[in-house]
Amino acid sequence: QVQLVESGGGSVQAGGSLRLSCAGSGYAYNSMGWFRQAPGKEREGVAAIDNDGSTSYAESVKGRFTISRENAKRTLYLQMNSLKPEDTAMYYCAADPRRWTAMQALGLPWRFWAIWGQGTQVTVSS
């Protein structure tokens, strides 16, 4: 059974840091990414990483967030630094067996992605 399980969310003050993890099972994924959805807003791509380790980031998180993966463990990470109140959202891990570049992956509508985790809440207070 293909499954993604996120962890690491929580509540922090502005300027703080969190590290999200996403443990995968089932089979290997070529493309992986993080998305987020705030109340009343559309789900948006935050960062993506391809099987070669190339990465792509949304403009709003560049320089603050870092995506990484451990293929042997089928685990995806998102290190989030200098958090802002506008980063508050439910964060979702996504994976897909198709081979996209990281830039392609981040530009795709979220509905294109095949596999999703249940989400982990991140709340940043001012």
Side-chain angles (χ1 to χ4, degrees):
Q1 182 179 357
V2 176
Q3 191 173 13
L4 297 174
V5 179
E6 300 101 332
S7 61
S11 296
V12 295
Q13 290 191 327
S17 298
L18 284 172
R19 189 192 195 208
L20 306 183
S21 298
C22 171
S25 63
Y27 56 80
Y29 317 108
N30 283 313
S31 302
M32 299 192 79
W34 288 99
F35 289 72
R36 66 186 181 187
Q37 188 167 16
K41 294 189 176 180
E42 182 75 6
R43 190 171 299 188
E44 63 176 359
V46 174
I49 185 167
D50 63 26
N51 207 37
D52 296 324
S54 295
T55 59
S56 185
Y57 296 92
E59 285 295 327
S60 59
V61 306
K62 274 184 181 177
R64 300 188 298 122
F65 291 10
T66 302
I67 188 172
S68 60
R69 63 191 290 176
E70 288 188 67
N71 287 336
K73 296 182 179 180
R74 296 178 183 173
T75 302
L76 182 70
Y77 304 99
L78 185 69
Q79 177 66 44
M80 304 186 295
N81 298 329
S82 302
L83 282 161
K84 304 175 181 180
E86 51 262 45
D87 294 318
T88 295
M90 184 72 78
Y91 282 71
Y92 296 92
C93 171
D96 199 287
R98 289 169 285 188
R99 187 178 288 270
W100 301 316
T101 66
M103 188 175 293
Q104 289 173 330
L106 195 62
L108 291 170
W110 67 269
R111 293 175 180 83
F112 273 50
W113 290 72
I115 305 150
W116 290 88
Q118 82 288 350
T120 185
Q121 179 68 36
V122 171
T123 303
V124 185
S125 58
S126 57

